[in-house]
Amino acid sequence: MPTPKNKRIVVLQSSYSATNVIANLNLTMNANFTTPGNVTTVNLLEDSSGTGTEATEYQMSFSIAGAAGSVAIGAITLSFTGEGAELASGVSVAKTSASTTTVPRGSSGRVTPIATPDAYQERVWSQTALNGTDELVDQVAGIDMRVKAESGYTVTQTVTSWDEDELVVAYEWKNAAGTSFASGTVRLEAASTAQGSYTLGSVVVVDDPPQGASRLAGETRSALRERIRGVTREIRRLRREARGG
């Protein structure tokens, strides 16, 4: 069976005064699927990253090849981001490593996230790096996953790991008879390592939809996300006050 994939590994390194390394942020996005032999996968990639930021988009489209032409099954779009938000003067962030693996080989082009997905999952992960009680850099990673099934097919989404350093989401496309035509997982891994005498703050994760939570009546997706982020900002404020800053 074919095993289409998109895998991206990135290291973002924050430094103080361009010489002292503060922390390394290690990020991995791994979309790995299995399909029957008659299913064709097309990979499309778009990279708008900077020298110190990660901003890549991916689209995987699945279809059945036949004598009368191909029949679309569905698609997934992935938006993968990473950055270091400088919180102190003299701090800089550089991308020291980046690699991409695609099967089948991906082509470069414009990737537009699915506007009306059948299912979606988003995570924003962040962790500060500190010098004593002073916050130097806020390390941030994110992923936005959106899936769609074409007419005659359905797609299911199941989060199988909510760990703060690893989000794993399983997907499967089936036809009306229950036959699977594409299945697999998308994984976001994020971990930071402080260097020298620098330390790390607590990891803060914002999931949308969140684990074990639901929207308020009439609440939109963007309003839900802003509500969760508001709670996150308040947690950070209370932590700063507890440290005396």
Side-chain angles (χ1 to χ4, degrees):
M1 287 187 174
T3 54
K5 70 165 63 175
N6 274 294
K7 186 174 184 179
R8 176 78 166 168
I9 303 175
V10 174
V11 178
L12 299 178
Q13 186 175 85
S14 54
S15 301
Y16 187 64
S17 299
T19 55
N20 297 322
V21 176
I22 299 170
N24 289 315
L25 175 59
N26 300 277
L27 304 175
T28 299
M29 187 284 294
N30 191 2
N32 204 317
F33 291 88
T34 300
T35 61
N38 63 335
V39 171
T40 299
T41 304
V42 175
N43 280 327
L44 189 62
L45 319 175
E46 181 178 0
D47 189 347
S48 55
S49 303
T51 58
T53 61
E54 173 68 14
T56 48
E57 309 249 10
Y58 309 83
Q59 178 177 299
M60 303 179 76
S61 302
F62 306 102
S63 61
I64 300 175
S70 63
V71 177
I73 297 170
I76 180 170
T77 56
L78 306 165
S79 302
F80 180 43
T81 58
E83 65 175 348
E86 296 89 349
L87 302 177
S89 177
V91 173
S92 61
V93 180
K95 183 183 292 183
T96 59
S97 177
S99 64
T100 302
T101 303
T102 63
V103 178
R105 185 174 179 178
S107 59
S108 298
R110 182 64 183 269
V111 175
T112 301
I114 298 169
T116 55
D118 294 331
Y120 75 90
Q121 186 67 46
E122 180 183 87
R123 165 166 286 194
V124 177
W125 178 102
S126 64
Q127 185 175 33
T128 55
L130 307 94
N131 183 16
T133 59
D134 296 329
E135 295 181 337
L136 299 180
V137 60
D138 192 9
Q139 302 169 105
V140 183
I143 191 167
D144 182 300
M145 304 169 250
R146 307 183 189 189
V147 291
K148 191 78 173 178
E150 298 296 335
S151 178
Y153 298 88
T154 59
V155 60
T156 56
Q157 170 183 283
T158 306
V159 180
T160 60
S161 173
W162 295 92
D163 290 352
E164 65 178 18
D165 292 340
E166 180 185 60
L167 175 71
V168 182
V169 185
Y171 292 102
E172 185 172 22
W173 284 261
K174 294 182 178 181
N175 65 6
T179 303
S180 178
F181 283 85
S183 63
T185 59
V186 179
R187 183 186 309 265
L188 172 67
E189 298 175 8
S192 178
T193 304
Q195 304 295 308
S197 61
Y198 300 108
T199 59
L200 299 173
S202 300
V203 172
V204 176
V205 169
V206 178
D207 289 308
D208 177 19
Q211 181 182 17
S214 59
R215 299 179 186 176
L216 300 174
E219 187 175 36
T220 64
R221 176 188 175 194
S222 60
L224 168 66
R225 186 162 57 246
E226 185 55 38
R227 175 163 61 92
I228 297 170
R229 288 176 176 168
V231 173
T232 303
R233 287 192 293 268
E234 180 64 12
I235 291 171
R236 284 181 176 156
R237 184 186 67 79
L238 292 173
R239 285 175 178 166
R240 285 195 297 270
E241 288 182 355
R243 290 195 301 266

